[in-house]
Amino acid sequence: MNEEEYQKMIKRCLRCSICKWIPQVQIKSQKYATACPAIDLYNYHPYSGGGKIILALALEMGRIKPSKELLEIVYKCTECGNCAISCKFLYTLEPLEIMMRLREKLVETGYGPMPKQKAYIAATKKVNNPYNEPHENRMDWLPDDIEVDHDAKVLYYIGCTSSYRRQEMALAAARIMNAAGIPFDILGDNEYCCGSPILRTGDIPTFQEILNKNIEIIESRGIETVVFSCAGCYDTFKVDYPLYRDYNFEVLHTVEFFNRLLEENKLNLTKEIPLTATYHDPCHLGRNAERYEQWEGDEVQLMPLVSINIPPKPKRTGKKGIYDAPRAILNKIPGLKLVEMERIKEYAYCCGAGAGVKSAFPEMALDTAKIRIEEAEETGADILVSACPFCSTNLQDGIKDSGSKLRYFDISELLLMALGLDSEKLKQVLAEVA
Ligand code: SF4
Ligand code: SF4
């Protein structure tokens, strides 16, 4: 969002608070009617999407000054974008983009981001990952029996979290591609952070350095398709990179890629998984993975706060997120029954980890995860499934802390079991659930 749009938009918030709730027609119960983890946990208006817009306006008007309290409110937000979907159900504001620009301004003026976020940005600059792990250990997850083809046109971009924290996801994805006979390459020592955790804090110059390096490396190798296990990396490449620089390769999440392979009969699911599963839509694979559409036209002011766009401006409503592919995969697994939570697809509740919250405010991340775990439990499912290493870590922390009996799996781990390539894990899960 440029400065002119920001200045216009922060004055147009109606103060209606609709962004605290999922759209009325989607509400199935009072318990799961809310949209925003920050307002749910802190119950104080400035934490909401609309509340943060008032803070942005007050800052511009000089009515408040940056302070520790202000930073805490602005950064206690997972940038999940649920408020933006609710606002656009009836109106036209972009609360998520306003909040991202607000963070950018706080960084530009030397106030943001939070100390823990500054530490992971420094680590990423030094060792190319926010976990401060040695760069040379990035490919430690890769066993000798995985076939990598350095002439392949498909690149598997593993990402920092799957490389260092959720290696089971990297391993499962690589084994599935080998099972389908799809040649794929990896960047090895040339794979670096995608920049997502840095972008979300508002440090745009560092993010731009990273995205330039990543695009140049991938294009120099003549890659046609890049496949991601991580919803955060995927969203950042698909939606955010093009705002700064174009590139000439296709980007796919593993759920899209694997569903395509299933439809082409390149994967043969032979093992029954007789369990009930519920699926958590990661924000970065769902609503936030919808690309921005270019718009050129005129904004005509009809009365204070009310204007129309000629021609109509496309609304980013989250409907073009990736919702069908993961559900199609789960429905193809023999024996598996899919049951849905109340808040799904573009209205899904956040896992609680994103936008630097897990590192700066771990208690907020955990408390949000526990809300989502309760919602998952109420479906009666045996297992909770998702498609993002960051959601994986946080939801598993929530399961552990709340003493839930739910078991968590990434969708690629389930596929691997259904392919008959991880019988030990399948046996263990079935025994535990029985
Ligand atoms: S992005 Fe998510 S956490 Fe942040 S204000 Fe909006 S709904 Fe709340
Ligand atoms: S951001 Fe949108 S939904 Fe929220 S208070 Fe403002 S106008 Fe209403």
Side-chain angles (χ1 to χ4, degrees), residues 35-38 47-49 52 77-83 99:
C36 172
Y47 284 95
S48 70
K52 289 186 178 97
C77 161
T78 59
E79 292 191 345
C80 71
N82 221 357
C83 52
M99 288 184 287

Side-chain angles (χ1 to χ4, degrees), residues 230-434:
C230 176
C233 301
Y234 168 74
D235 176 27
T236 304
F237 267 78
K238 180 180 170 184
V239 178
D240 299 297
Y241 277 20
L243 299 177
Y244 298 91
R245 179 171 173 170
D246 285 334
Y247 53 77
N248 61 11
F249 45 85
E250 174 191 35
V251 294
L252 290 176
H253 189 273
T254 43
V255 293
E256 296 172 287
F257 193 56
F258 295 157
N259 191 43
R260 203 185 265 183
L261 297 178
L262 283 166
E263 281 171 357
E264 291 166 357
N265 295 319
K266 290 189 173 138
L267 291 169
N268 192 9
L269 306 183
T270 53
K271 292 279 175 215
E272 286 241 332
I273 305 186
L275 296 173
T276 303
T278 192
Y279 175 72
H280 166 77
D281 290 281
C283 306
H284 290 301
L285 184 61
R287 56 183 164 256
N288 291 340
E290 180 170 323
R291 282 200 169 105
Y292 293 96
E293 286 179 54
Q294 293 282 348
W295 175 79
E296 274 181 38
D298 295 316
E299 189 184 323
V300 181
Q301 184 95 30
L302 299 179
M303 59 178 85
L305 296 179
V306 180
S307 58
I308 54 165
N309 295 316
I310 303 173
K313 196 173 181 178
K315 279 193 195 180
R316 195 163 168 257
T317 59
K319 291 206 183 315
K320 293 183 191 150
I322 310 302
Y323 309 117
D324 294 342
R327 288 173 173 81
I329 293 175
L330 293 173
N331 283 322
K332 284 181 188 114
I333 294 178
L336 194 82
K337 183 179 166 209
L338 175 64
V339 289
E340 296 281 12
M341 287 184 261
E342 288 195 16
R343 292 171 290 190
I344 58 168
K345 300 184 180 177
E346 65 266 43
Y347 315 110
Y349 200 69
C350 178
C351 80
V357 165
K358 184 83 178 158
S359 78
F361 307 105
E363 71 295 341
M364 177 182 178
L366 189 61
D367 289 343
T368 306
K370 289 199 283 190
I371 296 173
R372 191 60 167 160
I373 294 304
E374 199 174 334
E375 188 174 350
E377 275 185 328
E378 288 183 17
T379 64
D382 307 305
I383 57 171
L384 172 60
V385 184
S386 195
C388 173
F390 225 56
C391 295
S392 169
T393 299
N394 203 44
L395 290 170
Q396 292 195 66
D397 287 350
I399 288 174
K400 211 162 131 201
D401 205 69
S402 57
S404 167
K405 289 202 166 56
L406 273 175
R407 295 286 316 263
Y408 178 93
F409 292 103
D410 184 77
I411 202 161
S412 55
E413 292 177 271
L414 275 189
L415 257 185
L416 201 64
M417 288 186 242
L419 284 163
L421 297 174
D422 201 348
S423 307
E424 270 313 300
K425 194 185 274 177
L426 180 57
K427 220 176 356 171
Q428 192 191 332
V429 187
L430 294 180
E432 282 174 14
V433 170

Side-chain angles (χ1 to χ4, degrees), residues 70-132:
L70 176 87
L71 279 186
E72 181 137 338
I73 292 171
V74 172
Y75 282 94
K76 273 187 168 171
C77 161
T78 59
E79 292 191 345
C80 71
N82 221 357
C83 52
I85 302 302
S86 294
C87 179
K88 272 175 283 172
F89 199 75
L90 290 174
Y91 196 46
T92 53
L93 276 196
E94 299 285 0
L96 177 60
E97 287 179 55
I98 293 171
M99 288 184 287
M100 288 176 79
R101 178 83 184 121
L102 173 58
R103 287 187 181 192
E104 197 182 329
K105 281 171 166 264
L106 288 170
V107 170
E108 278 166 7
T109 48
Y111 295 102
M114 302 304 294
K116 291 257 174 66
Q117 295 165 345
K118 283 183 183 159
Y120 78 56
I121 293 171
T124 310
K125 285 179 175 169
K126 199 167 105 224
V127 287
N128 307 308
N129 72 84
Y131 299 108
N132 205 18

Side-chain angles (χ1 to χ4, degrees), residues 124-163:
T124 310
K125 285 179 175 169
K126 199 167 105 224
V127 287
N128 307 308
N129 72 84
Y131 299 108
N132 205 18
E133 296 285 355
H135 181 67
E136 59 273 21
N137 295 355
R138 195 169 179 104
M139 293 297 141
D140 279 3
W141 64 272
L142 185 69
D144 292 340
D145 64 327
I146 297 283
E147 272 180 51
V148 173
D149 178 348
H150 294 308
D151 294 322
K153 296 292 171 207
V154 173
L155 176 78
Y156 175 39
Y157 186 99
I158 298 112
C160 303
T161 309
S162 302
S163 296

Side-chain angles (χ1 to χ4, degrees), residues 12-20 45 49-51 53 83 86-88 91 93 95:
R12 282 189 44 232
C13 173
L14 298 174
R15 317 278 189 257
C16 63
S17 279
I18 279 175
C19 50
K20 293 172 183 163
H45 186 64
I53 294 175
C83 52
S86 294
C87 179
K88 272 175 283 172
Y91 196 46
L93 276 196

Side-chain angles (χ1 to χ4, degrees), residues 193-220:
C193 176
C194 70
S196 172
I198 295 167
L199 165 71
R200 317 280 163 212
T201 66
D203 182 349
I204 304 304
T206 307
F207 172 67
Q208 277 180 293
E209 274 173 37
I210 291 173
L211 82 89
N212 282 328
K213 191 159 74 168
N214 285 336
I215 290 176
E216 277 154 28
I217 288 166
I218 295 171
E219 287 190 336
S220 73

